[in-house]
Amino acid sequence: MNNSAPIGVFDSGVGGLTVVREIMRQIPNERIVYFGDTARVPYGSKSKETVTRYSRQIIRFLKTQDVKAIVAACNTASAYALDEIEQEMDIPVIGVVKPGARVALDATRNGKIGVIGTEATINSQIYERYIKEHDANAEVIGKACPLFVPLVEEGLLNDPVTDEIAMRYLSGLIDSGIDTLVLGCTHYPLIRETVGRVMGAGVTLVNPAYETARELRGMLEAERMLNETKPELGTNRYRFFVSDAADKFIRFANSIIKYGILSAKLIHIEEY
Ligand code: DGL
């Protein structure tokens, strides 16, 4: 495999750009091909079968782009599809759940960990499974926060409405005495301040996006797959593909990433 081949990153839509942003920061030499499934978002309210089928189609598409590794930036896809898909892959594939669970275990002092995410991620109980595999005594308390995704996509990052919803969603977690909270959804790092304010300074927030980029870097290093030379400008360093509404994607993407995304190509993902 050619080390200068890109990393394929996918998500149900725009949220996975929080993971792309971390990869750009932590391993700036890597080229990236991103696919956002903007036609079929949200994944968080869909079934395991559907999310797995969508994820397989996207991986087939990414492989046509000759990627050297794949990152499932979507927590819901990582939770529902990755265990199954991992077995079928001939290139490395990394999800966001395992790195997030690992760091939560490192961070907690009292063994009480909260996880917030989509309904699918929380119902899958995958964070709980991974965490308990490493520490059977850990207590994991999940809470689905479905309104956070549309609030972020409406740009209400610092807004009284978001504060109010956060108070309602998170008050039970505060009462439960957790000292660590996993932001188990692509969008949540964008309202980290609000969540942090509501939870209070005693609770450590874990951002799986950051940890996933670190794990990706470690894996590429260990496998001697890092791109050692910085790609020159205009060499298709970062490419973006979506299944619908490219203009909206570009607008939102540019509010998350400082790189300056000018175009996103439309793909008929059902054909893959
Ligand atoms: N990307 C999804 C996740 O991280 C959130 C949006 C959706 O429901 O598709 O779980």
Side-chain angles (χ1 to χ4, degrees):
M1 175 62 75
N2 181 355
N3 283 9
S4 66
I7 309 289
V9 182
F10 75 93
D11 178 49
S12 55
V14 290
L17 293 170
T18 56
V19 177
V20 167
R21 182 171 70 174
E22 292 299 340
I23 298 173
M24 287 172 165
R25 274 185 198 147
Q26 295 185 36
I27 23 181
N29 285 354
E30 296 302 326
R31 295 168 59 214
I32 296 172
V33 174
Y34 181 86
F35 178 81
D37 201 357
T38 46
R40 304 188 294 194
V41 69
Y43 283 11
S45 52
K46 295 198 169 65
S47 69
K48 180 175 165 69
E49 290 66 36
T50 300
V51 172
T52 306
R53 182 167 70 81
Y54 289 175
S55 302
R56 279 209 177 89
Q57 285 177 328
I58 296 169
I59 286 172
R60 279 198 283 274
F61 162 69
L62 287 173
K63 289 191 83 173
T64 67
Q65 303 299 305
D66 294 326
V67 295
K68 64 181 174 184
I70 290 179
V71 176
C74 180
N75 276 263
T76 304
S78 300
Y80 268 170
L82 227 57
D83 276 352
E84 212 173 305
I85 288 176
E86 245 169 6
Q87 333 264 335
E88 305 158 7
M89 298 291 293
D90 55 0
I91 55 172
V93 54
I94 291 184
V96 286
V97 171
K98 281 184 190 167
R102 231 183 337 265
V103 175
L105 274 163
D106 283 347
T108 186
R109 294 286 158 260
N110 69 4
K112 288 188 182 177
I113 299 169
V115 179
I116 51 175
T118 63
E119 283 175 294
T121 300
I122 298 307
N123 289 343
S124 77
Q125 297 193 319
I126 190 154
Y127 275 99
E128 182 164 7
R129 182 151 60 80
Y130 286 149
I131 289 170
K132 287 200 174 247
E133 261 168 32
H134 291 90
D135 179 358
N137 294 322
E139 199 180 321
V140 182
I141 301 147
K143 174 74 186 159
C145 304
L147 287 174
F148 279 169
V149 167
L151 287 169
V152 168
E153 295 204 0
E154 284 302 316
L156 301 173
L157 303 185
N158 284 304
D159 192 279
V161 174
T162 308
D163 288 356
E164 169 65 27
I165 302 284
M167 299 279 265
R168 289 198 196 191
Y169 279 149
L170 303 175
S171 57
L173 287 174
I174 298 171
D175 295 344
S176 70
I178 58 162
D179 71 351
T180 303
L181 180 63
V182 180
L183 304 175
C185 172
T186 46
H187 291 58
Y188 300 176
L190 299 171
I191 49 166
R192 191 190 174 113
E193 267 177 44
T194 304
V195 174
R197 209 169 37 242
V198 171
M199 293 307 298
V203 176
T204 305
L205 301 185
V206 171
N207 176 4
Y210 177 83
E211 297 307 327
T212 302
R214 256 172 57 111
E215 176 159 326
L216 175 66
R217 189 198 167 98
M219 185 279 291
L220 293 175
E221 251 165 22
E223 302 289 326
R224 298 182 186 282
M225 286 167 69
L226 271 177
N227 191 14
E228 305 290 355
T229 48
K230 190 172 177 153
E232 285 168 25
L233 285 176
T235 50
N236 286 332
R237 186 165 171 196
Y238 301 130
R239 283 180 296 145
F240 298 88
F241 295 87
V242 291
S243 47
D244 197 11
D247 287 349
K248 194 172 167 207
F249 172 86
I250 292 167
R251 269 198 306 280
F252 194 85
N254 283 316
S255 71
I256 300 182
I257 290 180
K258 296 298 160 237
Y259 165 73
I261 295 164
L262 300 178
S263 66
K265 201 168 167 205
L266 217 57
I267 292 294
H268 296 293
I269 196 66
E270 292 282 0
E271 289 170 8
Y272 288 86

